[in-house]
Amino acid sequence: MDDRDSCAGQWKGRPGECPESSHQWEAVSLSLCLRARDQPGTAKQVLVPETLVASKTAFSETDTPIHTQKQWFRETFNHLFAIANSAEAGDAGVHLVSGIKGSGGWMLTRRIDDLWELYPSFDIVVNCSGLGSRQLAGDAKIFPVRGQVLQVQAPWVEHFIRDGSGLTYIYPGTSHVTLGGTRQKGDWNLSPDAENSREILSRCCALEPSLHGACNIREKVGLRPYRPGVRLQTELLARDGRRLPVVHHYGHGSGGISVHWGTALEAARLVSECVHALRTPIPKSKL
């Protein structure tokens, strides 16, 4: 979701939704998640497919048999785990960082209505504006999928539970348990809906009856930036003889946690290409 305080998720493959390169994006991101698993402050579980907790009731709404789902998860995880531990992933430079500021970067917060407002203050722009790309990049393919969740206090919940469709889930974290959720396409409403909350709590209690005793219930809403596929490419904007290289990096939908580090490294590679192009002198015409 765009509102990171509202989201909860698990690593999962997205067959058929992304290009072939997404396998490498997923592998690199999985490697990072596995390395982060034992770091202080990490959620109670790193949610990889083989740890999926499910009941027969939870999977009754999907057409895919439980054993087929488990086999797919196992084969996908084993495949990507092998890639994540290969030299290919190592060469990608997967590592944990302390943040932009810790690496010598700085943060500037401002509102813009046009990418050209960043020129000439910045030589290269990386567009990670999510749903804002409808306006900033003129991309009509990206749209919101509204997600509403509940954050509750239920410290006895130690395992995560997810139904077959993924619409209902219970994700324990370090400070609260997240109960979800909704998938409302084209809905821009960021206000909590009481009926949604009642339905979410009812569905989650059906999976885990002990949640009837949950307290300190808070409603959270976020918008997932959906698109037919992640947009990860360079565009050279030109206006009145001026040029502004833009690396677009958005449209991850609900799969950001599965590919985030892999797509970030690819975006960094595209930025490096832009830097090289800017530093390369333009040949003078002999005419």
Side-chain angles (χ1 to χ4, degrees), residues 82-250:
I83 298 177
N85 285 277
S86 67
E88 186 177 5
D91 291 341
V94 180
H95 56 82
L96 296 175
V97 296
S98 58
I100 295 177
K101 292 183 178 179
S103 301
W106 51 282
M107 305 291 291
L108 173 64
T109 302
R110 59 181 284 196
R111 178 184 177 86
I112 64 170
D113 297 310
D114 190 318
L115 292 177
W116 277 107
E117 294 178 31
L118 301 173
Y119 182 92
S121 299
F122 301 93
D123 298 314
I124 302 169
V125 173
V126 180
N127 174 28
C128 303
S129 60
L131 291 171
S133 291
R134 286 182 66 88
Q135 176 181 344
L136 291 177
D139 190 346
K141 292 182 179 180
I142 191 166
F143 61 93
V145 174
R146 182 180 180 275
Q148 180 166 322
V149 300
L150 303 178
Q151 293 179 348
V152 306
Q153 292 299 314
W156 59 87
V157 177
E158 295 286 340
H159 302 285
F160 83 98
I161 306 173
R162 177 179 181 271
D163 75 355
S165 68
L167 184 60
T168 304
Y169 50 84
I170 302 166
Y171 290 161
T174 55
S175 60
H176 56 259
V177 178
T178 299
L179 311 181
T182 66
R183 295 183 191 138
Q184 295 157 314
K185 294 183 178 180
D187 192 336
W188 292 86
N189 183 19
L190 285 171
S191 299
D193 181 276
E195 183 61 28
N196 287 166
S197 294
R198 285 191 289 269
E199 292 176 354
I200 291 170
L201 186 59
S202 175
R203 284 187 274 119
C204 288
C205 284
L207 291 181
E208 178 50 67
S210 71
L211 286 172
H212 283 291
C215 60
N216 297 331
I217 299 176
R218 295 185 298 166
E219 299 169 305
K220 295 287 183 176
V221 178
L223 304 178
R224 306 175 180 95
Y226 259 85
R227 196 175 182 277
V230 175
R231 187 179 184 188
L232 186 49
Q233 62 183 176
T234 302
E235 179 182 12
L236 184 61
L237 301 183
R239 178 186 293 179
D240 300 328
R242 300 171 296 170
R243 292 187 173 190
L244 180 62
V246 177
V247 174
H248 295 290
H249 182 208
Y250 63 86

Side-chain angles (χ1 to χ4, degrees), residues 254-276:
S254 64
I257 194 173
S258 302
V259 298
H260 69 292
W261 201 257
T263 59
L265 288 174
E266 175 62 14
R269 185 188 68 79
L270 294 176
V271 170
S272 295
E273 289 182 352
C274 293
V275 171
H276 181 265

Side-chain angles (χ1 to χ4, degrees), residues 49 52 69-78 162:
L52 186 64
Q69 295 183 48
K70 289 184 176 180
Q71 180 181 358
W72 183 87
F73 277 129
R74 187 177 301 109
E75 291 177 353
T76 300
F77 179 76
N78 289 340
R162 177 179 181 271

Side-chain angles (χ1 to χ4, degrees), residues 11-16 18-19 21-33 72 76 79-81 83-84 255 257-263:
W11 182 93
K12 59 179 180 179
R14 301 171 66 194
C18 293
S21 55
S22 69
H23 292 308
Q24 178 61 17
W25 298 343
E26 291 172 356
V28 171
S29 302
L30 174 61
S31 177
L32 176 72
C33 290
W72 183 87
T76 300
H79 169 67
L80 293 173
F81 185 79
I83 298 177
I257 194 173
S258 302
V259 298
H260 69 292
W261 201 257
T263 59

